[in-house]
Amino acid sequence: MAAWPVGAHSHIRGLGLDDKLEARPNSQGMVGQIRARKAAGVILKIIKQGKISGRAILMAGAPGTGKTAIAMAMSQELGDVPFTALAASEVYSMEISKTESLTQAFRRSIGIRIKEETEIIEGEVVEIQIDRSVTGVGPKTGKLTLKTTDMETIYDLGQKMIGSLTKEKVMAGDVIQIDKATGRITRLGRSFTRARDFDATGPDVKFVQCPDGELQTRKEVVHTVSLHEIDVINSRQQGFLALFSGDTGEIKSEVRDQINQKISGWCEEGKAEIVPGVLFIDEIHMLDMECFSFLNRALEGTMAPVVIMASNRGMARIRGTNYQSPHGVPIDFLDRLLIISTQAYNEDDIKQILKIRCDEEEVDMTEDALAVLTKVATTTSLRYAIHLISTGYMVAQKRKASKVDVVDIKRVSALFLDEARSVQYLTDYQDEFMFSEIAPSHGDRMAIDQPSA
Ligand SMILES: Nc1ncnc2c1ncn2[C@@H]1O[C@H](COP(=O)(O)OP(=O)(O)OP(=O)(O)O)[C@@H](O)[C@H]1O
Ligand SMILES: [Mg+2]
């Protein structure tokens, strides 16, 4: 088995679409569901161009049809564009209000690309000379000689620089970069002129050209932070440590207003750029009326991410009301959404997904067993079949077989019930369980879901 625990979507590496949005077969862990993937690909393209914000998309479809998987695939292709995943039930917390937690999720999903010009010194090390004081105590001093193809300069070294030079193991012949503001030293590689020392350096050393021109240059560096990170750092009672503990509490709206102002200032000066990212809210039917009205309003704000939602509900009660609505989402909000629907998989797709899962979980399975498992998936559910992979492997190991075979699948499917059999069992033996509320006459599955009005 894999050394690292394998999660449900660990085989997903991306949407697996090319530039023309055609599916690349069997690449990046995604199978079938072409229409939904293409739709997601279109959205992804415009998100990457930074052209849209404040749009909302709903992925609707039966359980196990890959809604969460598609969202995870999108997140992997976004690069430095922020992506936040939230399960709708997470907004119900004791510490902060629903609207605060949605606001935080929104601001986590908006990136600010900040451009900074820094002064750097870049050159090849000619010599490092460190002077110790005679007694061996007290600060060390030293000299560093750097050169480019055009010039050579000697720099005085302080205690701190000597420390980082030693830590980076910088030697004569290395090409290094020093950030003047922070004093940080980066080793870029060894100079080509030292390539003949190959034996002394070993095979995994990178060789680079000795830089030309001035030793001291200006360089533009870009880093992306989320609005939420800026909020937390600037809210006085929290401090940046809250970013690690996650215990951010409510952030005052004045703090946010100030930050928004500052950032729009930066944008006008061309120092920063707003990058609307993606907020993924899974199980959207868990949100209530207040949350939906908040979303309605927040999506119209100037700084809003693209919100992608997923739901496997059909007609369902809107949480906190007695009204029924498609997907448990109020009609007026639904009207703003672009809806992507996911379809049930055909047998070939299921087989491929199961095969990929086997590879991911490092389980060897015979062709026959895979065929049987595919049958199991079509009659029960994909999720149930996926569970049988690792359990089947345990059973196969017990009988000292290296491959999972049909007998193992049969054995585990007898050991573990799927949902239909479990419901059947409950209706058959309900008298022996506590708190049984199903009337004997209508034991069908819908009866369990219905709220007792
Ligand atoms: N097109 C696909 N390609 C590869 N793997 C897939 C695909 N669709 C689903 N899977 C895998 O099948 C399993 C179930 O899919 P997923 O969790 O995305 O379903 P879902 O639509 O979110 O269901 P639910 O409504 O119950 O949340 C996951 O392990 C997922 O990675
Ligand atoms: Mg899901």
Side-chain angles (χ1 to χ4, degrees):
M1 292 242 138
W4 195 256
V6 181
H9 304 288
S10 55
H11 62 286
I12 306 284
R13 316 256 185 279
L15 276 174
L17 297 171
D18 61 16
D19 283 345
K20 294 198 184 81
L21 297 179
E22 294 302 323
R24 277 176 298 192
N26 226 350
S27 78
Q28 302 193 293
M30 287 230 87
V31 178
Q33 209 61 267
I34 298 293
R35 266 211 318 188
R37 269 161 70 196
K38 278 191 183 176
V42 172
I43 304 291
L44 198 64
K45 258 192 175 168
I46 26 190
I47 292 171
K48 277 196 202 154
Q49 289 167 353
K51 291 261 170 61
I52 57 166
S53 70
R55 293 305 159 81
I57 290 130
L58 173 69
M59 285 199 283
T65 47
K67 300 179 293 296
T68 309
I70 289 176
M72 291 305 129
M74 290 174 84
S75 78
Q76 304 212 325
E77 293 197 8
L78 280 171
D80 79 334
V81 177
F83 176 93
T84 318
L86 180 80
S89 43
E90 285 175 57
V91 306
Y92 304 103
S93 132
M94 295 295 277
E95 272 97 46
I96 55 178
S97 66
K98 295 180 264 188
T99 49
E100 170 70 16
S101 91
L102 281 173
T103 308
Q104 289 192 4
F106 259 60
R107 290 175 77 88
R108 263 181 226 276
S109 319
I110 298 168
I112 309 294
R113 238 176 239 147
I114 301 168
K115 288 185 214 115
E116 260 181 350
E117 272 219 336
T118 52
E119 298 241 302
I120 55 160
I121 299 169
E122 195 174 295
E124 180 183 329
V125 179
V126 182
E127 195 190 359
I128 306 172
Q129 185 195 336
I130 296 171
D131 309 318
R132 276 165 216 283
S133 59
V134 194
T135 51
V137 285
K140 290 181 207 161
T141 54
K143 288 193 165 36
L144 169 72
T145 317
L146 283 180
K147 69 165 185 188
T148 66
T149 48
D150 303 316
M151 61 187 289
E152 190 171 309
T153 310
I154 300 172
Y155 295 91
D156 283 325
L157 292 175
Q159 177 86 343
K160 202 173 134 205
M161 289 295 280
I162 292 175
S164 25
L165 282 171
T166 334
K167 202 170 126 236
E168 289 288 317
K169 302 199 180 69
V170 176
M171 301 183 294
D174 286 343
V175 177
I176 61 169
Q177 194 181 67
I178 306 170
D179 186 332
K180 261 189 99 173
T182 61
R184 210 165 71 97
I185 296 176
T186 325
R187 248 175 72 187
L188 303 177
R190 275 194 77 71
S191 169
F192 267 118
T193 52
R194 302 282 180 137
R196 64 192 146 77
D197 302 347
F198 185 78
D199 288 344
T201 52
D204 37 285
V205 171
K206 200 171 101 197
F207 285 101
V208 293
Q209 249 0 305
C210 174
D212 52 11
E214 295 278 318
L215 269 165
Q216 193 159 322
T217 48
R218 298 179 75 79
K219 201 171 205 174
E220 194 168 81
V221 285
V222 179
H223 36 109
T224 313
V225 289
S226 78
L227 268 183
H228 177 70
E229 284 163 334
I230 302 180
D231 288 351
V232 172
I233 290 167
N234 285 288
S235 73
R236 202 169 308 137
Q237 73 266 49
Q238 313 296 347
F240 78 99
L241 281 178
L243 279 177
F244 299 105
S245 66
D247 179 21
T248 53
E250 302 241 351
I251 291 167
K252 289 209 179 74
S253 64
E254 299 92 77
V255 173
R256 291 204 169 110
D257 288 344
Q258 273 176 14
I259 289 170
N260 290 355
Q261 260 177 25
K262 189 109 204 160
I263 285 169
S264 56
W266 286 351
C267 289
E268 276 160 25
E269 291 164 31
K271 274 200 272 182
E273 191 188 338
I274 295 176
V275 197
V278 178
L279 169 61
F280 173 57
I281 310 179
D282 211 347
E283 319 279 333
I284 190 71
H285 53 265
M286 288 302 291
L287 292 185
D288 62 13
M289 225 32 187
E290 289 156 43
C291 295
F292 283 119
S293 100
F294 173 86
L295 284 182
N296 241 336
R297 188 71 197 78
L299 282 169
E300 284 173 357
T302 44
M303 286 200 240
V306 172
V307 179
I308 299 180
M309 293 166 270
S311 166
N312 58 16
R313 299 297 157 105
M315 283 303 268
R317 211 160 48 90
I318 305 169
R319 194 182 157 128
T321 69
N322 280 323
Y323 298 107
Q324 298 267 332
S325 189
H327 316 294
V329 175
I331 297 279
D332 59 334
F333 186 62
L334 204 58
D335 193 38
R336 296 172 158 250
L337 307 180
L338 276 172
I339 301 180
I340 301 178
S341 83
T342 53
Q343 312 293 332
Y345 291 107
N346 63 28
E347 233 179 280
D348 285 345
D349 290 342
I350 290 182
K351 193 168 186 174
Q352 271 203 50
I353 294 176
L354 289 172
K355 208 175 169 138
I356 296 176
R357 287 301 312 175
C358 284
D359 289 346
E360 186 67 24
E361 295 177 29
E362 291 178 20
V363 171
D364 267 340
M365 191 174 283
T366 63
E367 272 302 312
D368 289 347
L370 192 63
V372 170
L373 198 60
T374 311
K375 263 270 145 358
V376 170
T378 47
T379 49
T380 61
S381 76
L382 178 60
R383 282 241 175 75
Y384 176 66
I386 287 178
H387 289 316
L388 296 191
I389 296 176
S390 49
T391 44
Y393 180 75
M394 297 309 291
V395 172
Q397 264 190 333
K398 208 166 171 201
R399 64 177 182 93
K400 302 212 163 44
S402 61
K403 279 188 165 191
V404 178
D405 212 337
V406 179
V407 285
D408 306 310
I409 300 295
K410 282 202 174 135
R411 176 114 183 82
V412 282
S413 77
L415 280 176
F416 301 103
L417 300 184
D418 60 281
E419 159 261 16
R421 271 187 291 157
S422 168
V423 170
Q424 187 58 46
Y425 183 81
L426 281 187
T427 40
D428 290 351
Y429 296 97
Q430 56 166 314
D431 296 340
E432 289 161 34
F433 285 88
M434 280 171 70
F435 307 127
S436 178
E437 284 178 358
I438 318 167
S441 53
H442 54 97
D444 65 322
R445 282 158 54 194
M446 284 312 293
I448 303 173
D449 257 6
Q450 228 112 65
S452 44

